Structure formats: structure tokens, C-alpha cells
Amino acid sequence: MDLSTRYREILMKQKAYSYVLTIAGWDSNTEAPRGAFARRAEMLGVISGELFQLQTSNEYQEVINGLFERYNELDDITQREIKKAKKNLDKIIKIPKDEFIEYNKLINLSQKVWEDAKQNNDFGSFKGNLDKIVAFNKKFIKYYKIDDQPYNVLLDEYEDGMSMKEYDNFFDTLKRDLVPFVKEVLNSGKVLNDAFITDIYPKEKQKEFANYLIDVVAFNRDNGLMKESVHPFTWNTHSSDVRFTTRYLEDFMFSSIFAAIHELGHATYEQQIDSKWDNTILNGGTSMGIHESQSRFYENIVGRSFEFWEVHYPKLLEIFPKQLKNISLDDFYRGVNKVEASFIRVEADELTYSMHIMIRYEIERMLFSDEIKVDDLPKVWNEKMMEYLGIEPKNDSEGVLQDVHWSVGMFGYFPTYALGSAYAAQFYYAMKKEIDIENIVKSNNIKTINKWLKEKIHQFGGSKTPKELLLEVTGEEFNPKYYITFLKEKYSKLYL
Amino acid sequence: MDLSTRYREILMKQKAYSYVLTIAGWDSNTEAPRGAFARRAEMLGVISGELFQLQTSNEYQEVINGLFERYNELDDITQREIKKAKKNLDKIIKIPKDEFIEYNKLINLSQKVWEDAKQNNDFGSFKGNLDKIVAFNKKFIKYYKIDDQPYNVLLDEYEDGMSMKEYDNFFDTLKRDLVPFVKEVLNSGKVLNDAFITDIYPKEKQKEFANYLIDVVAFNRDNGLMKESVHPFTWNTHSSDVRFTTRYLEDFMFSSIFAAIHELGHATYEQQIDSKWDNTILNGGTSMGIHESQSRFYENIVGRSFEFWEVHYPKLLEIFPKQLKNISLDDFYRGVNKVEASFIRVEADELTYSMHIMIRYEIERMLFSDEIKVDDLPKVWNEKMMEYLGIEPKNDSEGVLQDVHWSVGMFGYFPTYALGSAYAAQFYYAMKKEIDIENIVKSNNIKTINKWLKEKIHQFGGSKTPKELLLEVTGEEFNPKYYITFLKEKYSKLYL
């Protein structure tokens, strides 16, 4: 059997193991009862171990290294695959199997621990797990023996080619050009007719509207579904099975609406990836930043536009006639774009959102440079909130415990959220040159936008890097100025 | 490493593979979108193949055969395990791996095909799959080279020690002693105040009552959950994660109520199994017949008793004040126990239920003795319905297509349903000698019944055979007379 065939065979097995772990993960995140988790950690630990075995076996190493030696003889696609596979392999073989299994067990258990800690506002009960997770990550980075700073290794995992240098540059630009504008807006003293925002919207009615949104975004219901979870997310095993969640807060209806549109952005990306990548490792979205650019595009650029509500506000009024009785379309549009200093990242408005990310970026940066310890997190968190947003969380549930990410070992992920918002704006100005976005949204024809994104971005899955996509779609490299321009244009009109 | 340790290690791996397949199965059965199934069949095929590998590897054979040779040196528990493992092994090693994988793919796809066929009332679209499933089963039985008739091999798989001889004897007793009584009841001409039965009961309200029932049966919500599916079932990965479904028919509320109580019986059994069996192959319920005896016990003996409704009817009235306005407790109790010739097994009353099973038993018996073909099923089905119940299905959805079992390759399973009902009655008369069942039910204290069943049956999981349990719990071997006595006592009072 030649190397390519052997590669393909091992890869299919790896995919099958990942597949069942993915299904189990969806179940864990959306419905598994509390009692399930101890046994689950044990059982999934075995399966992760088997996958690890496949990803590190001598045969697999032989195949990947063999193909890598013949790199120049490979076609472009296989080159991209082998480059990626080799990069993963070079890292993973350096982790002792026992530690890998132990880490996966820890991760499987910690999410529940975090959930409970968040619910009980008890950082202390989660601290021990988080400490272990951080320690594992630091140890793994050492094993890799990559000639770079620890945090850069993590950043690169979530966004190919991004390091502290690039992120520092990005966030410094935001600090210089955006932060003063944010302060201006926050201090504008503009008064909104906004009591409706915290009125009570029954969950079942919110579900009805979330279901309506699924069709507005033209999500393919045969190839996916929507469910409910504490923290909204998108999950996919394959382009024909893409699932996402939203959450329903009866006193904050915007949460379910914008979580749904946001996740529909991720989900649309996944559904539109060409199935020709299925049996390669280039399936799935290409990076976290690009993924987030899609969710942000749908959530903010489409979902918070005046045109969007021009066409969909009547439906919302029909579902909530009492709550929205005295609220005009204009009031509602302003409500949807209300800017304020707030605690919860996922509920933050479009303008202050990147402040929340800066805080997390800086904290992770310090944590992995050993400038602070896990013990210090609540304190540092609250200080940074004060520094950037001028407010201090009353408790850790609305502070350092709010996000799931660290409980599942995702460090270096957060900055891709801000990056994604900035990418989205850059894509927006490119799209604008070719199609009349405002009119398309106003005429409830989002399919046309989906089609454009499919052609330019989605279909390629992981076969193009973020850098390539930006260059090909927008004609230039990543440039945060579009993001700043977009925000200033929009929020000047609304607030200044 | 000694044989026992090696056995334990391989077993844990097998358990992990089964575990993820079980989670995927739950997902397939309760929410996976249509589009998921093609890729899923492919991916789960790989995992099933890996499990098959573990169940048939030379190492595993060496370990099991080695321990079997030392049978007399093993402790009682290990003896039981090895006996069971050896029996499974001797069968499975005779199936070629490729065929096993192919069969599993077929099964994974066929359930969806059946669902669609049932929905579209189109046996033709399912026939091809069913034909292949039957052919595979016949082929596998040949591979086993067991010196017995094919159908006996299948019967034994679901109920240790049961063959056509025992079942023929059981069903002949029913024909002789029960069928004439059933006819008497059906012809009694008793008129019920029963229009309420087909009144409209909104799904959300039915859900509320099903949720109430969960607590009535004292199901542990931390270790399981209830969901919805086309065909109600119970599914468990472990005693700490036991899930079941019910279904909601707005024009037949009894469906959700009795499906819920029935599945709660299965689920309570699984939840009460001692966790000391977890890492053995003696975990889970001991047989299909004993499992069904528990579900039938809760559904019929408890759930259709006068005492049950004496205490819970007020709650139902509270939820459905309009639909049940003119219905007295006595009317309701009679409605719950209404006897009539009907098409759908899962909705059949307690008395005619075993007729539905006889039909399936006789059909399977003929199918595996090559007396009929898959093509003949709709015709034979309808003839038997006419013979035993005097009615003929209008279409295949309410006839031969109604049950999921054959689509997932379960032949020989159905007779355990009737057997379970008969076991339940036998257990009932034993329980009656020790605790005051009627009073316990009337005082809404089902925990006491759960406790008795846990002590006598549940805790042992698969560590005792059905025969042992019957003998130990009731003091005698299986005896269908209790079943007949129970039914005659109850339905004479109601109808004659």
C-alpha cells in the first residue's frame, strides 16, 4: 500500500474517533444528566486514549514523515494537508500518553465543575481544576520545545500565524483609535426609550422567534438543529449535521435573538463547506478568527442593522404585542444597539465588545508569562474591568467565572473573537463593492449573502489559511481600520 | 500480567466503545437531523469495526478461553462472567469482520428508512432493507454452527434459556386459557363513558403530567432524563445515566401517560442496579423478559390500578379541567382499562396485548423457518390480525410497519414482551405476600415498591439469570397461571 493510501486509512479512523467524541460532547453540553459525568470521563478517557494512539503511532509518524519528505512531489491539496498534519504531529508526539489521557479526563470533568461554580458563584470550587488545566497546558508547551514564548504557542493553535506581536499591534490600534471613541459614546448622555429591554418575554415565545430566525438566515433544517444550553455554541460533526444552541433569559430577550443569529453565522459557515473536504483534514472552518468573522457578520452587520429590523420587527411585534406596544421601529433599533459598560461578554454590545476581549487577552498573556497565578484571577479580572469599562463585577459569576473556555482548556482562543469582528468588517467593505447588502437584508433575502460567502469563503473549509482568504477576498492583508471605520460610522449616527 | 487482569483491561476498552456507540444511538433516536445519517453510518461503522476487533482479537480469545479452562478455579462471579463472555465469543468469532461492519452500517441506516416508510405508509421503500437485515441474520446464524433451529438461536439471545418449545408452551396456554376469556370480554357489550379518551389534550399539558409522573415513580432526575421520540424507549449508558422517551398524541393522551410509566419501569430497574457490576459484563438488566416484567409491573399492575388513579386523578383533572369535566374517577379507571381489538401494539390494552405478541412471534417463527418471505409480511400480518383480533389494518403504518424492532435487526425480541407481562404477574403475587401494594400505591409511596424490587431483583443486574430470579423471588419456576389469574380477576370485575 502506498503512503497516501495508508495516510487516508489512518485518517478515516481518526475521524471516526473524533466523530463519536464530538457526539458525546454535544450530549454533555446540552442534556447529559449530572450523574453521567464521572463514568463518562472514564469512558471517554479510553476513547481519547485510543485516538491519541492513532495520532502518535509509529505507523502514522512513518506515513506523515514519509509524505513530508516527498512534499514537493505532492499536489497542492495534499501539501496543505501534510503540512498541517506534520505540525500537529510534531506537537502531539511529545506528550506522554498517560498525561494526555489524564488531561482529557480532567477536561471532561471540569466543565461541570465550572458550571456548578458559576451557578453557586464560587470560584474556590473551580480554582483547583483550573490550576491543573493551566499547569497541564504549560507542561505540554514545554514538551513541544517550540522556540517561542508559551502564550504564542497557544495563540498560534487557534489562529494560524497570529502571535503576541500581531495581537499587541491590533489591540494597541484599538486602544489608540477606538477607546477614545467608546468613551465619547458612553459619555454622550443620549437617553433611550429602553425600559422594554428588560421587560419579561416568556421563554416559549422567544423560542418561537428564534425558530423564525432560523428560516430568515435560511439555515438548512435537514442538516442541523437548534437546542438550548447555558452558554450558546455551535457544534458540528459534518456539514450535514451542524447544531447550535441559544439561551433564553426572560428578562433579556436580546440574548436569545443575538445568540441565535450569531450561532447561525457559525452554522451557516459549516453547512456551506464543500463536502469534498470531508475525508481530508481540511474539513471544517479554517480558523477561529475566520469562524468568528462569520458569526459576527450575521450577528452585528446583518442582525443589528436598521434594514434587518425594518423587515423583521413586525414579526417580533406580533409575538410580543404587549411588551413592545409603545416601542417604535426606531426605538427598537436603538435598543438593539444600546451602548453601555456591562459585565457579561456574550451580552455586550458591538462597540464595547472588544474591551471584554482585551481584558481576557491581557490576563492570559500574564498567566502564561507567570506574571500572575490562577489564585489572582478574580482580583486581576475586576481591576481590568474597572480600568477598561469603569465598572466592577459584584461577584465572580458575572466576572471571572462567566466563560466556559478556560474550563475546557481553551487559552489563546479569546483574542480570535475581537479579530473575527475586525475581519468581518473588512469582508463587509469588500462585499459591499459587489452586492447591495442593505437592500438584500431589507428584502429578507439573506440567501444572496450566504451565496456570496459560500463562493468566497465557506466552500473552501480549511483548505485556505486566514491570510489567504483575507488577501483573496478583500485584496489586502488584515487591516483593523475597517473595523474602526465601521463602528465609528454606525455609532456616530446613533450617539453623536 | 495474569489472565484476569488482561481480561479486565480488554473489557474496559470494549465498554468504552459500547459507551460511545450508545450515546450516538441515543442521539440518532431522539434528535439527529436527517442529513446526519449517511456520514454517521460510515463513522459508526468504523467504531463498530474497532469494537468487533476487540471482541474477536486473538488476545481476547486467548484470555477468555484460558479463563474458561480454569473455570473451576474462578469465584462465582467471574464464573458467570466468563460463561457469558465465552458464549458471546463463540458466536461472534464466526462472523467475518467485513460482514459485521456492513451489517452495522445497514442497521444504522435502516432505522431512518423505516421511520420514513412508516410515515409515508410505504412498505415497499423499507422492504429492501428489511430483506437484507433478515438475510444477514440467517447468514450469521449459519456461521454460529449452533446445533439448533435458527429461530431458537435468536430467541435465546434475548432470553437466556427460552426456545420455541417453551414459548409454544406459553402461547398455547394463553390460547387455551386466556383467548376464550378475551373473546368473552370483547363481546360483553359493556358500554363505557369513553368519549373523553379521544378528546384533544395539548402536548405541553401532557408533558406537564409526564413530568409529574417522573416524581410519582421517584425516578432520580440527577441520573437520567425524559425526552420525546416516535417510538418510546429506555436507553442507558450506566446506572447514573438512564434516559427514556415518551410520545405525545394529542388525540390519545393515554399514550404519553402509559408510555412514560412503562419506560419509568425500565428506567427504575436500570437506576437501581448496584454499581459494583459496572466494570463486569454483568451490568445492566439480566434479560429482556425480566426488563419487560419491570416496565409492565409499573405500567399495568401499578399504573392501571384503581388505587393509582384514586391518588393521581385529581392532578390530571387539575391539568385538564375541560376535557375531564364530566368524567368521574370510576369512568376514568374504566377508560384506562378499556378492552378493545386494536391495531397498534404499544397502545393495546393490557388484556389484548399478548395477542399482538403472538402474531409477531408466529410471523418471526415462519420467517426464520423459511415458510414465508419478507415480501409476504404485510399479507400475513393482516391475516393474523384478522385471526386473533378480528380486525384488519387499513394500511401498513398501522400494520406491519408499526414497530421499530425489525429495522434494527431485533428478531426474537417480541416474545419477551408477553413473557415479561407474565413474569410481572408472578412477581406481583410474591410481592403481595410481603407488602401491602394497594395501600402503598394509594398513599403515593411507590418508593417502597422500588425498594422491594431493588432488594429482590434490580440490584443484581445481570448477575442472576431469569430462571434464578424467578425461583428465588417467587419460590417456583416460570408459571403463566399467575398472569391468567391476574387478568381474569381484574377484567371479570370490570367487564363481566
Side-chain angles (χ1 to χ4, degrees):
Chain A
M1 215 189 314
D2 69 2
L3 282 179
S4 295
T5 313
R6 283 167 68 197
Y7 165 63
R8 221 42 83 186
E9 269 196 4
I10 303 174
L11 185 61
M12 283 308 283
K13 272 201 189 178
Q14 292 182 0
K15 281 181 178 279
Y17 281 83
S18 301
Y19 184 89
V20 290
L21 289 169
T22 302
I23 295 176
W26 169 255
D27 183 82
S28 292
N29 280 301
T30 60
E31 69 176 54
R34 332 175 36 85
F37 287 86
R39 182 72 173 174
R40 170 158 297 197
E42 207 177 348
M43 296 283 99
L44 298 189
V46 175
I47 300 297
S48 307
E50 296 289 294
L51 175 57
F52 182 81
Q53 192 70 42
L54 281 172
Q55 290 170 330
T56 55
S57 70
N58 290 335
E59 195 198 349
Y60 184 63
Q61 292 187 44
E62 196 186 304
V63 167
I64 295 301
N65 291 326
L67 285 168
F68 196 71
E69 278 164 27
R70 290 163 190 69
Y71 192 79
N72 291 327
E73 300 159 32
L74 306 173
D75 59 81
D76 177 58
I77 295 305
T78 316
Q79 280 187 343
R80 284 167 185 267
E81 276 197 271
I82 296 307
K83 198 171 149 191
K84 190 171 170 186
K86 172 79 175 153
K87 188 173 170 185
N88 294 340
L89 178 65
D90 284 347
K91 276 196 212 159
I92 202 169
I93 48 169
K94 300 191 179 116
I95 301 178
K97 186 178 175 187
D98 291 352
E99 292 185 25
F100 183 82
I101 293 175
E102 204 190 324
Y103 180 65
N104 273 284
K105 273 194 200 171
L106 175 66
I107 291 300
N108 276 318
L109 286 173
S110 296
Q111 195 178 337
K112 201 75 195 162
V113 175
W114 163 74
E115 253 177 58
D116 292 345
K118 181 178 171 178
Q119 192 158 20
N120 304 326
N121 180 30
D122 177 15
F123 183 75
S125 67
F126 174 55
K127 202 172 64 178
N129 285 56
L130 186 55
D131 211 35
K132 282 185 206 154
I133 295 171
V134 171
F136 263 115
N137 273 280
K138 287 185 177 175
K139 199 158 59 166
F140 290 170
I141 294 169
K142 272 192 194 141
Y143 289 150
Y144 297 157
K145 295 195 191 305
I146 295 172
D147 183 26
D148 206 342
Q149 286 167 279
Y151 192 41
N152 279 345
V153 175
L154 297 171
L155 290 172
D156 179 74
E157 254 174 41
Y158 295 104
E159 195 70 13
D160 191 58
M162 290 295 287
S163 68
M164 288 188 270
K165 193 178 146 232
E166 284 81 14
Y167 276 120
D168 284 350
N169 181 45
F170 171 41
F171 287 117
D172 286 345
T173 307
L174 293 190
K175 276 186 211 166
R176 194 188 57 228
D177 295 340
L178 189 62
V179 169
F181 178 75
V182 171
K183 293 212 167 127
E184 210 183 332
V185 168
L186 285 175
N187 298 327
S188 70
K190 195 107 173 184
V191 179
L192 281 175
N193 177 8
D194 69 353
F196 79 94
I197 292 174
T198 54
D199 200 350
I200 296 302
Y201 294 78
K203 184 170 160 174
E204 288 307 316
K205 293 284 170 190
Q206 288 194 49
K207 272 193 187 167
E208 196 184 325
F209 192 68
N211 254 300
Y212 167 83
L213 289 173
I214 288 180
D215 296 322
V216 167
V217 177
F219 176 80
N220 180 344
R221 288 176 187 268
D222 273 349
N223 293 341
L225 57 86
M226 175 177 72
K227 225 167 147 184
E228 187 184 345
S229 69
V230 177
H231 185 92
F233 65 95
T234 298
W235 202 258
N236 66 303
T237 62
H238 184 258
S239 58
S240 64
D241 185 7
V242 182
R243 310 183 190 186
F244 68 96
T245 67
T246 188
R247 68 163 170 192
Y248 302 96
L249 306 177
E250 297 212 318
D251 59 354
F252 189 53
M253 168 200 43
F254 288 167
S255 181
S256 71
I257 293 180
F258 292 101
I261 306 179
H262 179 96
E263 301 306 331
L264 277 163
H266 285 303
T268 301
Y269 184 7
E270 290 291 338
Q271 282 198 334
Q272 296 203 118
I273 292 172
D274 196 308
S275 65
K276 76 176 176 191
W277 308 112
D278 287 353
N279 295 341
T280 73
I281 63 167
L282 306 174
N283 66 318
T286 192
S287 76
M288 297 302 147
I290 297 293
H291 236 303
E292 193 67 11
S293 75
Q294 300 309 293
S295 55
R296 293 283 154 186
F297 188 91
Y298 285 88
E299 178 192 351
N300 291 332
I301 296 177
V302 174
R304 292 186 199 268
S305 70
F306 185 78
E307 293 77 15
F308 188 83
W309 292 106
E310 219 177 330
V311 50
H312 303 298
Y313 188 57
K315 178 70 186 179
L316 196 68
L317 257 177
E318 187 191 310
I319 297 179
F320 299 111
K322 219 180 81 217
Q323 293 88 335
L324 298 172
K325 198 171 50 186
N326 298 316
I327 305 303
S328 70
L329 168 61
D330 205 61
D331 288 338
F332 188 79
Y333 171 65
R334 285 175 181 280
V336 156
N337 290 292
K338 183 185 176 189
V339 177
E340 67 182 333
S342 65
F343 297 113
I344 305 297
R345 178 184 59 84
V346 295
E347 315 297 2
D349 58 81
E350 189 181 8
L351 189 64
T352 59
Y353 186 81
S354 49
M355 309 294 113
H356 293 265
I357 300 306
M358 269 202 293
I359 291 168
R360 287 157 179 78
Y361 171 71
E362 291 177 6
I363 288 176
E364 289 184 344
R365 205 183 190 291
M366 289 191 287
L367 195 60
F368 283 89
S369 316
D370 297 317
E371 293 168 40
I372 55 170
K373 292 200 172 67
V374 165
D375 263 339
D376 306 325
L377 289 180
K379 191 171 154 280
V380 179
W381 183 283
N382 293 356
E383 286 167 4
K384 295 233 168 251
M385 281 296 288
M386 206 58 198
E387 185 186 341
Y388 290 114
L389 288 161
I391 53 176
E392 194 179 329
K394 288 184 300 299
N395 56 57
D396 292 335
S397 295
E398 64 175 29
V400 71
L401 282 174
Q402 68 183 271
D403 293 307
V404 68
H405 304 60
W406 293 343
S407 80
V408 291
M410 298 198 296
F411 302 95
Y413 187 127
F414 282 123
T416 68
Y417 287 143
L419 189 66
S421 301
Y423 284 169
Q426 190 166 339
F427 288 138
Y428 165 73
Y429 286 104
M431 189 190 285
K432 216 172 149 71
K433 286 180 199 160
E434 299 185 15
I435 58 177
D436 183 352
I437 304 173
E438 278 65 28
N439 238 318
I440 287 167
V441 172
K442 196 158 78 178
S443 57
N444 192 16
N445 186 26
I446 293 185
K447 268 188 181 162
T448 308
I449 290 174
N450 296 352
K451 191 163 163 273
W452 193 93
L453 290 168
K454 181 178 182 176
E455 259 175 49
K456 307 275 182 176
I457 301 173
H458 298 178
Q459 62 162 318
F460 301 111
S463 72
K464 298 196 174 186
T465 63
K467 278 183 204 289
E468 286 173 334
L469 283 176
L470 277 166
L471 204 58
E472 289 175 21
V473 178
T474 73
E476 60 179 308
E477 295 198 335
F478 171 52
N479 185 346
K481 89 165 187 211
Y482 293 106
Y483 182 40
I484 292 163
T485 304
F486 177 84
L487 291 174
K488 284 191 176 173
E489 264 184 24
K490 177 171 173 181
Y491 287 92
S492 295
K493 271 192 223 153
L494 277 160
Y495 277 89
L496 306 178
Chain B
M1 218 190 310
D2 71 0
L3 282 178
S4 295
T5 314
R6 282 169 67 197
Y7 165 64
R8 220 42 84 187
E9 268 196 7
I10 303 174
L11 184 61
M12 283 308 283
K13 269 202 190 179
Q14 292 182 1
K15 280 183 178 279
Y17 282 83
S18 301
Y19 184 89
V20 290
L21 289 169
T22 303
I23 295 176
W26 168 256
D27 182 82
S28 291
N29 280 300
T30 58
E31 67 175 55
R34 324 172 45 81
F37 288 85
R39 181 71 173 175
R40 170 159 296 197
E42 208 177 347
M43 296 284 99
L44 298 188
V46 175
I47 300 297
S48 307
E50 295 289 294
L51 175 57
F52 183 82
Q53 191 70 41
L54 281 172
Q55 289 169 329
T56 56
S57 69
N58 289 336
E59 195 197 349
Y60 185 62
Q61 292 187 45
E62 196 185 303
V63 166
I64 296 301
N65 291 325
L67 285 167
F68 196 71
E69 277 164 29
R70 288 162 191 73
Y71 191 80
N72 292 326
E73 302 159 28
L74 306 174
D75 60 80
D76 177 57
I77 294 305
T78 317
Q79 279 186 344
R80 286 169 184 265
E81 276 198 271
I82 295 307
K83 200 171 150 191
K84 190 172 170 187
K86 171 80 175 151
K87 189 174 169 183
N88 294 341
L89 177 66
D90 284 348
K91 276 199 212 156
I92 201 170
I93 50 169
K94 299 192 180 113
I95 301 178
K97 186 179 175 185
D98 290 352
E99 293 184 26
F100 183 82
I101 293 175
E102 203 188 327
Y103 179 65
N104 273 285
K105 271 193 202 172
L106 176 66
I107 291 299
N108 276 320
L109 286 172
S110 295
Q111 196 178 335
K112 201 74 196 165
V113 175
W114 162 74
E115 256 178 55
D116 291 345
K118 181 177 171 178
Q119 192 158 21
N120 304 326
N121 181 30
D122 178 14
F123 183 75
S125 67
F126 174 55
K127 203 171 64 175
N129 284 58
L130 186 55
D131 212 37
K132 280 185 209 158
I133 295 171
V134 171
F136 262 115
N137 273 281
K138 288 184 177 173
K139 201 158 56 164
F140 290 170
I141 294 169
K142 271 191 195 143
Y143 290 150
Y144 297 157
K145 294 195 191 304
I146 295 171
D147 184 25
D148 206 342
Q149 287 169 277
Y151 192 41
N152 280 346
V153 175
L154 297 172
L155 290 171
D156 180 75
E157 254 173 41
Y158 295 104
E159 195 69 13
D160 190 59
M162 290 296 286
S163 69
M164 288 187 271
K165 191 173 150 239
E166 285 81 15
Y167 276 120
D168 284 350
N169 180 45
F170 172 41
F171 287 117
D172 286 346
T173 306
L174 294 189
K175 276 186 210 165
R176 194 186 60 229
D177 295 342
L178 189 62
V179 169
F181 178 74
V182 171
K183 291 212 168 126
E184 214 183 327
V185 168
L186 285 175
N187 297 327
S188 70
K190 195 108 174 186
V191 179
L192 282 176
N193 176 9
D194 68 353
F196 79 92
I197 292 174
T198 53
D199 199 351
I200 296 302
Y201 296 78
K203 184 170 162 174
E204 288 307 318
K205 293 283 171 189
Q206 290 194 49
K207 271 193 187 167
E208 194 183 328
F209 192 68
N211 254 299
Y212 167 83
L213 289 173
I214 289 180
D215 295 322
V216 167
V217 177
F219 175 81
N220 180 345
R221 288 177 188 267
D222 273 350
N223 292 340
L225 57 88
M226 176 176 70
K227 224 167 147 183
E228 187 183 348
S229 69
V230 177
H231 184 93
F233 65 95
T234 298
W235 201 258
N236 66 302
T237 61
H238 183 258
S239 58
S240 63
D241 184 8
V242 182
R243 310 184 189 185
F244 68 97
T245 67
T246 189
R247 68 164 170 190
Y248 302 96
L249 306 177
E250 297 214 317
D251 59 354
F252 190 55
M253 167 201 43
F254 287 168
S255 182
S256 69
I257 293 180
F258 292 101
I261 305 179
H262 179 97
E263 301 306 332
L264 278 163
H266 285 303
T268 300
Y269 185 6
E270 290 291 339
Q271 281 197 336
Q272 296 203 116
I273 292 172
D274 196 308
S275 64
K276 76 178 174 190
W277 308 113
D278 287 353
N279 295 340
T280 73
I281 64 167
L282 305 173
N283 66 317
T286 191
S287 77
M288 296 302 147
I290 297 292
H291 235 302
E292 193 67 11
S293 75
Q294 300 310 294
S295 55
R296 293 283 156 188
F297 188 92
Y298 285 87
E299 177 192 350
N300 291 332
I301 296 177
V302 173
R304 291 186 200 270
S305 69
F306 186 78
E307 294 77 13
F308 188 84
W309 291 107
E310 220 177 329
V311 49
H312 303 298
Y313 188 58
K315 177 70 187 179
L316 197 66
L317 257 176
E318 187 191 311
I319 297 178
F320 299 111
K322 220 181 78 217
Q323 293 88 335
L324 298 172
K325 195 170 53 188
N326 299 315
I327 305 303
S328 70
L329 168 62
D330 205 61
D331 289 336
F332 188 79
Y333 171 65
R334 284 174 182 282
V336 156
N337 290 292
K338 183 185 177 189
V339 177
E340 70 181 330
S342 65
F343 296 112
I344 304 297
R345 178 183 60 84
V346 295
E347 315 298 0
D349 58 81
E350 188 181 7
L351 189 64
T352 58
Y353 185 81
S354 50
M355 310 293 112
H356 292 266
I357 300 305
M358 269 201 295
I359 291 168
R360 286 156 181 77
Y361 171 70
E362 290 176 7
I363 287 176
E364 290 184 346
R365 204 183 191 292
M366 289 192 288
L367 194 59
F368 282 89
S369 316
D370 296 318
E371 294 168 41
I372 55 169
K373 293 199 170 68
V374 165
D375 264 339
D376 306 325
L377 289 180
K379 192 170 153 281
V380 179
W381 184 283
N382 292 355
E383 284 167 7
K384 296 231 167 251
M385 281 295 291
M386 204 60 198
E387 187 185 339
Y388 289 113
L389 288 163
I391 52 175
E392 196 180 327
K394 289 183 301 299
N395 56 57
D396 292 334
S397 295
E398 64 175 29
V400 70
L401 282 174
Q402 68 182 269
D403 293 308
V404 66
H405 304 62
W406 294 341
S407 79
V408 291
M410 299 199 296
F411 302 95
Y413 187 126
F414 282 124
T416 67
Y417 286 144
L419 189 66
S421 301
Y423 284 169
Q426 190 165 338
F427 289 139
Y428 166 72
Y429 286 104
M431 189 190 285
K432 216 172 147 71
K433 286 180 199 158
E434 300 185 14
I435 58 176
D436 183 351
I437 304 174
E438 278 66 28
N439 238 317
I440 286 166
V441 172
K442 197 157 76 178
S443 57
N444 193 16
N445 186 24
I446 293 184
K447 268 189 181 162
T448 308
I449 291 174
N450 295 352
K451 190 163 164 274
W452 193 92
L453 290 168
K454 181 178 181 175
E455 257 174 52
K456 306 274 182 179
I457 301 172
H458 297 179
Q459 61 163 316
F460 301 111
S463 72
K464 298 196 173 188
T465 65
K467 278 183 204 288
E468 286 173 335
L469 283 177
L470 277 166
L471 205 58
E472 290 174 20
V473 178
T474 74
E476 61 178 306
E477 294 198 337
F478 170 52
N479 185 346
K481 89 163 190 213
Y482 293 106
Y483 182 39
I484 292 163
T485 304
F486 178 84
L487 292 175
K488 284 190 176 172
E489 265 184 23
K490 176 171 174 180
Y491 288 93
S492 296
K493 272 192 224 152
L494 277 161
Y495 276 91
L496 305 178

